Amino acid sequence: MTAAPPQVDVRFLSKEEFLAHLTEALEVYVLAMGYPKATIKQRAPLWREHTYRPGWRAIGAISSKGRLIGLAYGYIGAGGQWWHDEIQRGLRAADPTKQSWLTDYFELSELHVLPQAQGGGIGERLLRGLLSDVTTATVLLSTPEIDPARPGRAWRLYRRLGFVDVLRAYYFVGDSRPFAVLGRQLPLPDRRAT
Ligand SMILES: CC(C)(COP(=O)(O)OP(=O)(O)OC[C@H]1O[C@@H](n2cnc3c(N)ncnc32)[C@H](O)[C@@H]1OP(=O)(O)O)[C@@H](O)C(=O)NCCC(=O)NCCS
């Protein structure tokens, strides 16, 4: 017999709640991404700064024991933001016709679930919840390039929800790893229709 999935509450986090749980959120991030713990301190000021951006919203997955086990956040993208300007640079070089993706979009900045809680649909709940009622035309995100031999959960999730290629094998300034930029029209169709 299969065990019932643990009860997980997925709900929006106010800016105050997010900031109060910032270290916990960053712990989820480093464990999910396999980054060194020192990344927590480096990233904290950036995540804090993001909360002031237009359209910022965050959602958390909270276990029955009150632990944050997953989170997602994002905001409305605009010129002058580092990520926007990087993607613009990449699109100009690779395919200028795709620059229209940057006119009215929500940037999905982070989406992470603790490794031991992955594989049960929490990531999809977070993503769908975060994007519900977002009024921009599209959502954009960047994710480490796919390993064709082992497409990870993030890629399976994004493809399942209809994300398409906007820019592939892109190198952000200061990062030696290739990334993919994926995008999708909003709103997402409901679960049964996808
Ligand atoms: C990417 C990530 C957020 C996805 O979250 P997740 O909870 O693991 O993934 P999903 O919500 O897609 O669910 C995963 C599986 O559960 C299944 N599932 C969906 N709903 C379910 C449900 N109600 N009950 C049980 N299983 C379910 C899905 O079919 C999926 O199966 P698959 O992995 O075989 O394709 C998570 O794996 C993660 O944090 N990865 C590392 C960090 C990362 O890559 N983040 C994204 C960077 S851009």
Side-chain angles (χ1 to χ4, degrees), residues 5 28-29 31-35 69-71 108-115 117-127 141-144 151-158 160-161 179-180 191:
V28 172
Y29 163 69
L31 288 168
M33 294 299 284
Y35 290 159
I69 59 171
L71 79 138
L108 174 68
S109 189
E110 306 292 345
L111 170 64
H112 308 289
V113 173
L114 278 181
Q118 291 173 10
I122 295 172
E124 182 171 337
R125 285 174 66 191
L126 286 167
L127 185 52
L141 62 89
S142 54
T143 192
R153 284 225 162 83
W155 274 89
R156 293 207 296 273
L157 172 62
Y158 300 141
R160 192 165 74 239
L161 294 188
F179 278 77
R191 197 147 201 263

Tab-separated table of all heavy atoms in Angstrom, residues 5 28-29 31-35 69-71 108-115 117-127 141-144 151-158 160-161 179-180 191, ligand 1:
chain	number	residue	atom	x	y	z
A	5	PRO	N	0.338	11.069	0.833
A	5	PRO	CA	1.309	12.158	0.820
A	5	PRO	C	1.130	13.040	2.056
A	5	PRO	O	0.013	13.221	2.521
A	5	PRO	CB	0.969	12.933	-0.464
A	5	PRO	CG	-0.386	12.479	-0.866
A	5	PRO	CD	-0.623	11.139	-0.255
A	28	VAL	N	16.282	26.360	1.892
A	28	VAL	CA	15.573	25.506	0.918
A	28	VAL	C	16.264	25.645	-0.439
A	28	VAL	O	16.531	24.659	-1.131
A	28	VAL	CB	14.078	25.921	0.810
A	28	VAL	CG1	13.398	25.167	-0.331
A	28	VAL	CG2	13.349	25.680	2.126
A	29	TYR	N	16.579	26.877	-0.797
A	29	TYR	CA	17.223	27.166	-2.091
A	29	TYR	C	18.568	26.441	-2.228
A	29	TYR	O	18.813	25.745	-3.225
A	29	TYR	CB	17.379	28.683	-2.187
A	29	TYR	CG	18.340	29.228	-3.203
A	29	TYR	CD1	18.085	29.121	-4.562
A	29	TYR	CD2	19.492	29.901	-2.793
A	29	TYR	CE1	18.965	29.663	-5.492
A	29	TYR	CE2	20.374	30.441	-3.716
A	29	TYR	CZ	20.113	30.319	-5.058
A	29	TYR	OH	20.982	30.857	-5.977
A	31	LEU	N	19.772	23.889	-0.572
A	31	LEU	CA	19.642	22.424	-0.532
A	31	LEU	C	19.052	21.909	-1.848
A	31	LEU	O	19.496	20.898	-2.394
A	31	LEU	CB	18.767	21.994	0.655
A	31	LEU	CG	19.439	22.165	2.023
A	31	LEU	CD1	18.420	22.003	3.152
A	31	LEU	CD2	20.580	21.153	2.205
A	32	ALA	N	18.060	22.622	-2.379
A	32	ALA	CA	17.431	22.191	-3.637
A	32	ALA	C	18.414	22.282	-4.796
A	32	ALA	O	18.475	21.392	-5.651
A	32	ALA	CB	16.194	23.040	-3.928
A	33	MET	N	19.198	23.349	-4.824
A	33	MET	CA	20.105	23.567	-5.954
A	33	MET	C	21.466	22.891	-5.747
A	33	MET	O	22.285	22.858	-6.673
A	33	MET	CB	20.324	25.069	-6.186
A	33	MET	CG	19.076	25.822	-6.630
A	33	MET	SD	18.376	25.238	-8.198
A	33	MET	CE	19.496	25.937	-9.401
A	34	GLY	N	21.719	22.414	-4.531
A	34	GLY	CA	23.025	21.788	-4.261
A	34	GLY	C	24.151	22.812	-4.188
A	34	GLY	O	25.293	22.506	-4.520
A	35	TYR	N	23.841	24.021	-3.750
A	35	TYR	CA	24.842	25.074	-3.627
A	35	TYR	C	25.466	25.054	-2.234
A	35	TYR	O	24.851	24.577	-1.273
A	35	TYR	CB	24.201	26.455	-3.857
A	35	TYR	CG	23.761	26.729	-5.273
A	35	TYR	CD1	22.809	27.700	-5.542
A	35	TYR	CD2	24.293	26.025	-6.360
A	35	TYR	CE1	22.395	27.975	-6.846
A	35	TYR	CE2	23.880	26.295	-7.653
A	35	TYR	CZ	22.928	27.267	-7.888
A	35	TYR	OH	22.517	27.528	-9.176
A	69	ILE	N	9.075	24.107	3.349
A	69	ILE	CA	9.730	23.044	2.582
A	69	ILE	C	9.796	23.370	1.085
A	69	ILE	O	10.395	22.646	0.313
A	69	ILE	CB	9.056	21.667	2.798
A	69	ILE	CG1	7.574	21.720	2.395
A	69	ILE	CG2	9.211	21.211	4.247
A	69	ILE	CD1	6.936	20.340	2.387
A	70	GLY	N	9.192	24.488	0.703
A	70	GLY	CA	9.270	24.909	-0.697
A	70	GLY	C	8.854	26.349	-0.821
A	70	GLY	O	8.130	26.874	0.040
A	71	LEU	N	9.321	27.006	-1.861
A	71	LEU	CA	8.919	28.404	-2.067
A	71	LEU	C	9.087	28.790	-3.519
A	71	LEU	O	9.863	28.164	-4.257
A	71	LEU	CB	9.756	29.348	-1.191
A	71	LEU	CG	11.157	29.640	-1.733
A	71	LEU	CD1	11.505	31.082	-1.575
A	71	LEU	CD2	12.173	28.753	-1.041
A	108	LEU	N	9.617	34.711	-13.115
A	108	LEU	CA	9.655	33.693	-12.068
A	108	LEU	C	11.110	33.610	-11.626
A	108	LEU	O	11.948	33.042	-12.325
A	108	LEU	CB	9.171	32.341	-12.599
A	108	LEU	CG	9.321	31.182	-11.609
A	108	LEU	CD1	8.373	31.340	-10.426
A	108	LEU	CD2	9.089	29.847	-12.283
A	109	SER	N	11.390	34.221	-10.499
A	109	SER	CA	12.772	34.354	-10.079
A	109	SER	C	13.286	33.086	-9.404
A	109	SER	O	14.412	32.647	-9.665
A	109	SER	CB	12.867	35.556	-9.127
A	109	SER	OG	14.175	35.868	-8.850
A	110	GLU	N	12.470	32.516	-8.525
A	110	GLU	CA	12.907	31.328	-7.771
A	110	GLU	C	11.761	30.342	-7.618
A	110	GLU	O	10.612	30.747	-7.414
A	110	GLU	CB	13.394	31.729	-6.355
A	110	GLU	CG	14.476	32.799	-6.326
A	110	GLU	CD	15.825	32.342	-6.891
A	110	GLU	OE1	16.042	31.130	-7.063
A	110	GLU	OE2	16.656	33.215	-7.191
A	111	LEU	N	12.097	29.061	-7.685
A	111	LEU	CA	11.137	27.970	-7.418
A	111	LEU	C	11.939	26.789	-6.894
A	111	LEU	O	12.764	26.230	-7.631
A	111	LEU	CB	10.392	27.579	-8.699
A	111	LEU	CG	9.542	26.297	-8.612
A	111	LEU	CD1	8.395	26.443	-7.621
A	111	LEU	CD2	8.994	25.923	-9.987
A	112	HIS	N	11.713	26.421	-5.653
A	112	HIS	CA	12.529	25.368	-5.041
A	112	HIS	C	11.727	24.565	-4.030
A	112	HIS	O	10.912	25.123	-3.300
A	112	HIS	CB	13.747	25.975	-4.328
A	112	HIS	CG	14.535	26.891	-5.209
A	112	HIS	ND1	15.304	26.433	-6.251
A	112	HIS	CD2	14.621	28.238	-5.249
A	112	HIS	CE1	15.848	27.460	-6.877
A	112	HIS	NE2	15.443	28.568	-6.285
A	113	VAL	N	12.030	23.280	-3.996
A	113	VAL	CA	11.412	22.382	-3.021
A	113	VAL	C	12.551	21.574	-2.395
A	113	VAL	O	13.481	21.145	-3.105
A	113	VAL	CB	10.395	21.438	-3.726
A	113	VAL	CG1	9.861	20.394	-2.768
A	113	VAL	CG2	9.243	22.249	-4.326
A	114	LEU	N	12.487	21.385	-1.078
A	114	LEU	CA	13.532	20.591	-0.415
A	114	LEU	C	13.653	19.228	-1.078
A	114	LEU	O	12.622	18.623	-1.417
A	114	LEU	CB	13.165	20.358	1.060
A	114	LEU	CG	13.458	21.454	2.064
A	114	LEU	CD1	13.043	20.986	3.468
A	114	LEU	CD2	14.927	21.857	2.061
A	115	PRO	N	14.885	18.714	-1.253
A	115	PRO	CA	15.053	17.437	-1.962
A	115	PRO	C	14.150	16.316	-1.445
A	115	PRO	O	13.538	15.588	-2.229
A	115	PRO	CB	16.532	17.107	-1.739
A	115	PRO	CG	17.182	18.453	-1.583
A	115	PRO	CD	16.171	19.325	-0.885
A	117	ALA	N	11.317	16.462	-0.229
A	117	ALA	CA	9.884	16.714	-0.483
A	117	ALA	C	9.580	16.778	-1.977
A	117	ALA	O	8.435	17.022	-2.375
A	117	ALA	CB	9.462	18.007	0.205
A	118	GLN	N	10.582	16.584	-2.817
A	118	GLN	CA	10.367	16.674	-4.265
A	118	GLN	C	9.653	15.422	-4.780
A	118	GLN	O	9.706	14.370	-4.152
A	118	GLN	CB	11.712	16.834	-4.993
A	118	GLN	CG	12.377	18.184	-4.735
A	118	GLN	CD	13.781	18.280	-5.326
A	118	GLN	OE1	14.196	17.414	-6.094
A	118	GLN	NE2	14.517	19.317	-4.951
A	119	GLY	N	9.034	15.586	-5.940
A	119	GLY	CA	8.447	14.420	-6.612
A	119	GLY	C	7.018	14.127	-6.206
A	119	GLY	O	6.468	13.091	-6.563
A	120	GLY	N	6.384	15.044	-5.478
A	120	GLY	CA	5.000	14.815	-5.046
A	120	GLY	C	4.038	15.889	-5.506
A	120	GLY	O	2.919	15.972	-5.012
A	121	GLY	N	4.473	16.725	-6.419
A	121	GLY	CA	3.565	17.736	-6.963
A	121	GLY	C	3.609	19.090	-6.265
A	121	GLY	O	2.854	20.000	-6.626
A	122	ILE	N	4.493	19.254	-5.271
A	122	ILE	CA	4.533	20.536	-4.543
A	122	ILE	C	5.027	21.658	-5.458
A	122	ILE	O	4.505	22.771	-5.440
A	122	ILE	CB	5.413	20.419	-3.277
A	122	ILE	CG1	4.785	19.437	-2.301
A	122	ILE	CG2	5.601	21.798	-2.608
A	122	ILE	CD1	5.653	19.102	-1.100
A	123	GLY	N	6.027	21.375	-6.278
A	123	GLY	CA	6.550	22.395	-7.187
A	123	GLY	C	5.463	22.917	-8.118
A	123	GLY	O	5.334	24.127	-8.321
A	124	GLU	N	4.668	22.018	-8.651
A	124	GLU	CA	3.586	22.456	-9.550
A	124	GLU	C	2.560	23.286	-8.801
A	124	GLU	O	2.069	24.297	-9.310
A	124	GLU	CB	2.931	21.235	-10.223
A	124	GLU	CG	1.848	21.666	-11.194
A	124	GLU	CD	1.302	20.549	-12.070
A	124	GLU	OE1	2.010	19.535	-12.278
A	124	GLU	OE2	0.162	20.698	-12.547
A	125	ARG	N	2.239	22.891	-7.584
A	125	ARG	CA	1.278	23.685	-6.787
A	125	ARG	C	1.830	25.085	-6.542
A	125	ARG	O	1.103	26.076	-6.619
A	125	ARG	CB	0.997	22.987	-5.451
A	125	ARG	CG	0.097	21.772	-5.585
A	125	ARG	CD	-0.025	21.025	-4.270
A	125	ARG	NE	-0.723	21.797	-3.238
A	125	ARG	CZ	-0.761	21.439	-1.959
A	125	ARG	NH1	-0.151	20.338	-1.552
A	125	ARG	NH2	-1.430	22.170	-1.083
A	126	LEU	N	3.117	25.170	-6.216
A	126	LEU	CA	3.732	26.479	-5.971
A	126	LEU	C	3.689	27.341	-7.227
A	126	LEU	O	3.325	28.520	-7.183
A	126	LEU	CB	5.188	26.304	-5.515
A	126	LEU	CG	5.400	25.793	-4.093
A	126	LEU	CD1	6.861	25.372	-3.904
A	126	LEU	CD2	5.024	26.843	-3.056
A	127	LEU	N	4.042	26.740	-8.335
A	127	LEU	CA	4.096	27.492	-9.596
A	127	LEU	C	2.705	27.976	-10.006
A	127	LEU	O	2.505	29.144	-10.337
A	127	LEU	CB	4.721	26.615	-10.682
A	127	LEU	CG	4.972	27.242	-12.040
A	127	LEU	CD1	5.761	28.534	-11.937
A	127	LEU	CD2	5.729	26.263	-12.934
A	141	LEU	N	11.394	32.636	-17.218
A	141	LEU	CA	12.293	32.111	-16.193
A	141	LEU	C	13.589	31.669	-16.847
A	141	LEU	O	13.648	31.450	-18.063
A	141	LEU	CB	11.652	30.920	-15.472
A	141	LEU	CG	11.326	29.683	-16.319
A	141	LEU	CD1	12.501	28.710	-16.391
A	141	LEU	CD2	10.118	28.959	-15.786
A	142	SER	N	14.640	31.535	-16.034
A	142	SER	CA	15.864	30.908	-16.534
A	142	SER	C	16.190	29.729	-15.642
A	142	SER	O	15.931	29.759	-14.431
A	142	SER	CB	17.032	31.903	-16.564
A	142	SER	OG	17.228	32.499	-15.310
A	143	THR	N	16.732	28.711	-16.255
A	143	THR	CA	17.048	27.484	-15.527
A	143	THR	C	18.309	26.865	-16.132
A	143	THR	O	18.549	27.027	-17.336
A	143	THR	CB	15.831	26.506	-15.589
A	143	THR	OG1	16.011	25.448	-14.669
A	143	THR	CG2	15.593	25.940	-16.984
A	144	PRO	N	19.139	26.192	-15.316
A	144	PRO	CA	20.334	25.570	-15.903
A	144	PRO	C	19.964	24.678	-17.086
A	144	PRO	O	18.944	23.992	-17.054
A	144	PRO	CB	20.909	24.762	-14.729
A	144	PRO	CG	20.447	25.504	-13.510
A	144	PRO	CD	19.071	26.023	-13.860
A	151	PRO	N	17.043	14.604	-17.922
A	151	PRO	CA	16.240	15.822	-17.750
A	151	PRO	C	15.665	15.856	-16.336
A	151	PRO	O	15.000	14.918	-15.912
A	151	PRO	CB	15.133	15.685	-18.800
A	151	PRO	CG	15.162	14.280	-19.257
A	151	PRO	CD	16.489	13.681	-18.912
A	152	GLY	N	15.970	16.908	-15.598
A	152	GLY	CA	15.565	16.967	-14.193
A	152	GLY	C	14.108	17.359	-14.034
A	152	GLY	O	13.399	17.624	-15.012
A	153	ARG	N	13.698	17.402	-12.783
A	153	ARG	CA	12.290	17.687	-12.459
A	153	ARG	C	11.867	19.060	-12.940
A	153	ARG	O	10.727	19.266	-13.344
A	153	ARG	CB	12.077	17.615	-10.948
A	153	ARG	CG	12.041	16.222	-10.438
A	153	ARG	CD	10.878	16.022	-9.462
A	153	ARG	NE	10.615	14.612	-9.315
A	153	ARG	CZ	11.289	13.821	-8.497
A	153	ARG	NH1	12.254	14.308	-7.748
A	153	ARG	NH2	11.004	12.543	-8.427
A	154	ALA	N	12.791	20.053	-12.847
A	154	ALA	CA	12.407	21.403	-13.250
A	154	ALA	C	12.014	21.393	-14.731
A	154	ALA	O	10.959	21.909	-15.110
A	154	ALA	CB	13.556	22.375	-12.993
A	155	TRP	N	12.837	20.777	-15.554
A	155	TRP	CA	12.543	20.735	-16.991
A	155	TRP	C	11.252	19.980	-17.273
A	155	TRP	O	10.451	20.397	-18.103
A	155	TRP	CB	13.706	20.086	-17.754
A	155	TRP	CG	14.756	21.085	-18.092
A	155	TRP	CD1	15.825	21.430	-17.329
A	155	TRP	CD2	14.800	21.908	-19.270
A	155	TRP	NE1	16.551	22.415	-17.961
A	155	TRP	CE2	15.945	22.726	-19.148
A	155	TRP	CE3	14.015	22.034	-20.411
A	155	TRP	CZ2	16.316	23.664	-20.125
A	155	TRP	CZ3	14.372	22.966	-21.383
A	155	TRP	CH2	15.514	23.760	-21.234
A	156	ARG	N	11.042	18.869	-16.570
A	156	ARG	CA	9.803	18.100	-16.802
A	156	ARG	C	8.582	18.943	-16.431
A	156	ARG	O	7.579	18.963	-17.148
A	156	ARG	CB	9.839	16.792	-16.006
A	156	ARG	CG	10.904	15.826	-16.496
A	156	ARG	CD	10.536	14.376	-16.202
A	156	ARG	NE	10.460	14.065	-14.793
A	156	ARG	CZ	11.496	13.688	-14.040
A	156	ARG	NH1	12.706	13.580	-14.595
A	156	ARG	NH2	11.346	13.419	-12.775
A	157	LEU	N	8.710	19.671	-15.307
A	157	LEU	CA	7.602	20.514	-14.864
A	157	LEU	C	7.308	21.625	-15.871
A	157	LEU	O	6.157	21.834	-16.284
A	157	LEU	CB	7.947	21.109	-13.492
A	157	LEU	CG	7.006	22.180	-12.928
A	157	LEU	CD1	5.600	21.616	-12.711
A	157	LEU	CD2	7.552	22.718	-11.603
A	158	TYR	N	8.344	22.332	-16.301
A	158	TYR	CA	8.120	23.457	-17.214
A	158	TYR	C	7.552	22.984	-18.558
A	158	TYR	O	6.650	23.608	-19.117
A	158	TYR	CB	9.422	24.236	-17.438
A	158	TYR	CG	9.997	24.822	-16.171
A	158	TYR	CD1	11.372	24.844	-15.929
A	158	TYR	CD2	9.158	25.351	-15.188
A	158	TYR	CE1	11.893	25.382	-14.758
A	158	TYR	CE2	9.676	25.885	-14.010
A	158	TYR	CZ	11.040	25.895	-13.811
A	158	TYR	OH	11.541	26.416	-12.658
A	160	ARG	N	5.823	20.236	-19.066
A	160	ARG	CA	4.458	19.755	-18.812
A	160	ARG	C	3.471	20.920	-18.795
A	160	ARG	O	2.333	20.789	-19.235
A	160	ARG	CB	4.455	19.014	-17.476
A	160	ARG	CG	3.212	18.210	-17.179
A	160	ARG	CD	3.456	17.228	-16.034
A	160	ARG	NE	3.514	17.849	-14.719
A	160	ARG	CZ	4.547	17.790	-13.894
A	160	ARG	NH1	5.638	17.131	-14.230
A	160	ARG	NH2	4.499	18.376	-12.716
A	161	LEU	N	3.922	22.072	-18.294
A	161	LEU	CA	3.030	23.228	-18.207
A	161	LEU	C	3.101	24.110	-19.455
A	161	LEU	O	2.539	25.199	-19.478
A	161	LEU	CB	3.334	24.041	-16.951
A	161	LEU	CG	3.045	23.328	-15.626
A	161	LEU	CD1	3.194	24.275	-14.454
A	161	LEU	CD2	1.636	22.739	-15.607
A	179	PHE	N	22.567	28.465	-19.490
A	179	PHE	CA	21.185	28.503	-19.007
A	179	PHE	C	20.220	28.530	-20.180
A	179	PHE	O	20.578	28.956	-21.287
A	179	PHE	CB	20.942	29.764	-18.162
A	179	PHE	CG	21.407	29.618	-16.739
A	179	PHE	CD1	22.760	29.703	-16.431
A	179	PHE	CD2	20.499	29.381	-15.721
A	179	PHE	CE1	23.193	29.551	-15.121
A	179	PHE	CE2	20.930	29.236	-14.415
A	179	PHE	CZ	22.282	29.320	-14.111
A	180	ALA	N	19.007	28.096	-19.905
A	180	ALA	CA	17.916	28.246	-20.871
A	180	ALA	C	16.928	29.249	-20.305
A	180	ALA	O	16.677	29.274	-19.104
A	180	ALA	CB	17.215	26.911	-21.089
A	191	ARG	N	-5.586	22.643	-14.343
A	191	ARG	CA	-4.837	21.392	-14.329
A	191	ARG	C	-5.376	20.371	-15.343
A	191	ARG	O	-4.619	19.758	-16.070
A	191	ARG	CB	-4.864	20.802	-12.925
A	191	ARG	CG	-3.823	19.776	-12.721
A	191	ARG	CD	-3.277	19.746	-11.320
A	191	ARG	NE	-1.984	19.102	-11.338
A	191	ARG	CZ	-1.804	17.825	-11.054
A	191	ARG	NH1	-2.808	17.077	-10.676
A	191	ARG	NH2	-0.606	17.295	-11.141
B	1	LIG	C1	11.917	21.864	-9.817
B	1	LIG	C2	11.173	21.611	-8.532
B	1	LIG	C3	10.760	22.921	-7.884
B	1	LIG	C4	9.893	20.812	-8.873
B	1	LIG	O1	9.171	20.514	-7.684
B	1	LIG	P1	8.629	19.029	-7.399
B	1	LIG	O2	7.657	19.132	-6.299
B	1	LIG	O3	9.797	18.137	-7.241
B	1	LIG	O4	7.973	18.697	-8.807
B	1	LIG	P2	6.505	18.558	-9.401
B	1	LIG	O5	5.528	19.425	-8.710
B	1	LIG	O6	6.656	18.739	-10.854
B	1	LIG	O7	6.169	17.079	-9.089
B	1	LIG	C5	7.085	16.088	-9.464
B	1	LIG	C6	6.398	14.790	-9.752
B	1	LIG	O8	5.272	14.594	-8.924
B	1	LIG	C7	4.191	14.200	-9.738
B	1	LIG	N1	2.959	14.746	-9.157
B	1	LIG	C8	2.287	15.833	-9.578
B	1	LIG	N2	1.192	16.000	-8.808
B	1	LIG	C9	1.197	15.014	-7.897
B	1	LIG	C10	0.343	14.667	-6.842
B	1	LIG	N3	-0.775	15.362	-6.566
B	1	LIG	N4	0.667	13.585	-6.083
B	1	LIG	C11	1.769	12.887	-6.359
B	1	LIG	N5	2.634	13.169	-7.359
B	1	LIG	C12	2.333	14.222	-8.113
B	1	LIG	C13	4.440	14.794	-11.073
B	1	LIG	O9	3.825	14.032	-12.081
B	1	LIG	C14	5.940	14.750	-11.176
B	1	LIG	O10	6.401	13.523	-11.692
B	1	LIG	P3	7.841	13.415	-12.418
B	1	LIG	O11	8.868	14.038	-11.516
B	1	LIG	O12	8.031	11.959	-12.567
B	1	LIG	O13	7.711	14.144	-13.719
B	1	LIG	C15	12.017	20.781	-7.534
B	1	LIG	O14	12.248	19.506	-8.056
B	1	LIG	C16	13.334	21.453	-7.155
B	1	LIG	O15	13.369	22.254	-6.208
B	1	LIG	N6	14.411	21.105	-7.884
B	1	LIG	C17	15.742	21.640	-7.607
B	1	LIG	C18	15.798	23.128	-7.764
B	1	LIG	C19	15.418	23.589	-9.147
B	1	LIG	O16	15.851	23.017	-10.148
B	1	LIG	N7	14.605	24.644	-9.190
B	1	LIG	C20	14.224	25.263	-10.421
B	1	LIG	C21	15.329	26.162	-10.834
B	1	LIG	S1	14.812	27.203	-12.111
